[in-house]
Amino acid sequence: EADIYQTPRYLVIGTGKKITLECSQTMGHDKMYWYQQDPGMELHLIHYSYGVNSTEKGDLSSESTVSRIRTEHFPLTLESARPSHTSQYLCASSEDTQYFGPGTRLTVL
Amino acid sequence: RKEVEQDPGPFNVPEGATVAFNCTYSNSASQSFFWYRQDCRKEPKLLMSVYSSGNEDGRFTAQLNRASQYISLLIRDSKLSDSATYLCVVNDYKLSFGAGTTVTVRA
C-alpha cells in the first residue's frame, strides 16, 4: 500500500469560502501531482511539482494554487470556492510509478 | 490528437471470458508504460507495469508494440471483481493518462 494521504476525504462548503486540501506522502518522492476528476470522467492534471519550491500548472486550467515548501507536503488552495469547483481531487506522488491518495470529494453549494 | 487514446467500452463479458483491449500513444519516445485500475469513486491503483518483452501477472497479460505504438491488456478467466475502469498510462517526460476502458463482468 502507498503511503499517501489526503484530508479531508469529503468536504461540503458554501460559495466564497477559502479552502485548502491537504496531501502528504511519506515515501520521500520528489514528484507530486494534483488531478481533478468528475464522476465517470477522465483524470485531468491541474498542478504538479518536481521538488521543493517547484510548482507548475497542468493540462487543465484551474483557479486553485499549490505550494511545495516540504517534500512530503503538497497542499492545494482555492481562495474562493464556487459550485463549478465541485469535483473529486486526487493527489499523487511518484518516482517512476505513480501512487494516488484516496481523494477529496468537494461539493460547493 | 490526444497523447493517449483508449476505447472507452464498455466491454460487457460473462464470467470466465477473456477480454482484451488496447491503448495507443502518440509519442514514439515514450519510455515506460503502465496499466492502472480504477473502481467507481475510488482512486486509481497500479495494476501492472508493461515491459518491452511483455509480462504476465496471474490472469493479466500486458504487451507493448513499439512499432505500432500501442499497449494491450488481456484478462483471462474474468471474475466479477475484475469489473472496473482500466487506465493506460504512458511516461515520456511526464505521465499521460488515457480516459479509461470500462469492463463489466456479469454472472
Side-chain angles (χ1 to χ4, degrees):
Chain A
E1 289 294 317
D3 295 321
I4 179 164
Y5 309 98
Q6 290 185 244
T7 56
R9 294 290 310 278
Y10 302 92
L11 178 61
V12 180
I13 202 162
T15 297
K17 301 290 186 186
K18 177 180 178 178
I19 58 170
T20 297
L21 308 184
E22 302 287 350
C23 176
S24 59
Q25 51 96 5
T26 58
M27 297 174 282
H29 290 165
D30 286 325
K31 299 173 190 172
M32 295 189 74
Y33 312 81
W34 276 103
Y35 294 87
Q36 187 173 340
Q37 186 179 35
D38 293 322
M41 305 298 285
E42 62 191 283
L43 286 162
H44 291 288
L45 180 67
I46 52 174
H47 297 284
Y48 62 98
S49 166
Y50 284 167
V52 171
N53 294 325
S54 146
T55 62
E56 302 286 344
K57 290 191 179 294
D59 304 322
L60 180 69
S61 174
S62 174
E63 293 164 344
S64 58
T65 59
V66 292
S67 62
R68 189 86 184 277
I69 299 171
R70 303 199 318 264
T71 298
E72 62 272 20
H73 198 213
F74 191 39
L76 180 144
T77 298
L78 275 165
E79 289 294 331
S80 179
R82 293 209 301 273
S84 60
H85 297 140
T86 294
S87 189
Q88 173 158 264
Y89 293 84
L90 288 158
C91 179
S93 73
S94 74
E95 287 303 332
D96 184 30
T97 307
Q98 198 164 89
Y99 296 97
F100 285 82
T104 294
R105 194 167 299 280
L106 173 65
T107 302
V108 184
L109 302 175
Chain B
R1 184 185 171 190
K2 285 189 174 181
E3 294 173 31
V4 180
E5 298 210 49
Q6 295 184 247
D7 182 344
F11 289 77
N12 294 307
V13 300
E15 262 188 302
T18 296
V19 58
F21 41 89
N22 293 341
C23 160
T24 59
Y25 60 95
S26 60
N27 185 351
S28 60
S30 298
Q31 292 301 309
S32 52
F33 308 86
F34 308 91
W35 283 105
Y36 278 70
R37 170 197 171 121
Q38 186 173 26
D39 294 301
C40 188
R41 295 181 172 269
K42 298 283 192 179
E43 74 273 23
K45 292 191 175 179
L46 179 67
L47 179 66
M48 58 197 303
S49 301
V50 185
Y51 303 125
S52 296
S53 54
N55 50 301
E56 195 173 299
D57 183 0
R59 296 180 294 105
F60 297 83
T61 301
Q63 298 274 355
L64 167 63
N65 186 316
R66 283 196 183 273
S68 300
Q69 294 183 211
Y70 73 87
I71 64 171
S72 63
L73 182 67
L74 182 145
I75 308 172
R76 284 187 304 279
D77 187 24
S78 53
K79 312 289 184 193
L80 294 175
S81 58
D82 294 334
S83 297
T85 296
Y86 292 85
L87 304 175
C88 167
V89 182
V90 175
N91 188 8
D92 32 47
Y93 66 96
K94 64 178 178 66
L95 287 173
S96 296
F97 282 78
T101 296
T102 298
V103 173
T104 302
V105 182
R106 62 182 188 275

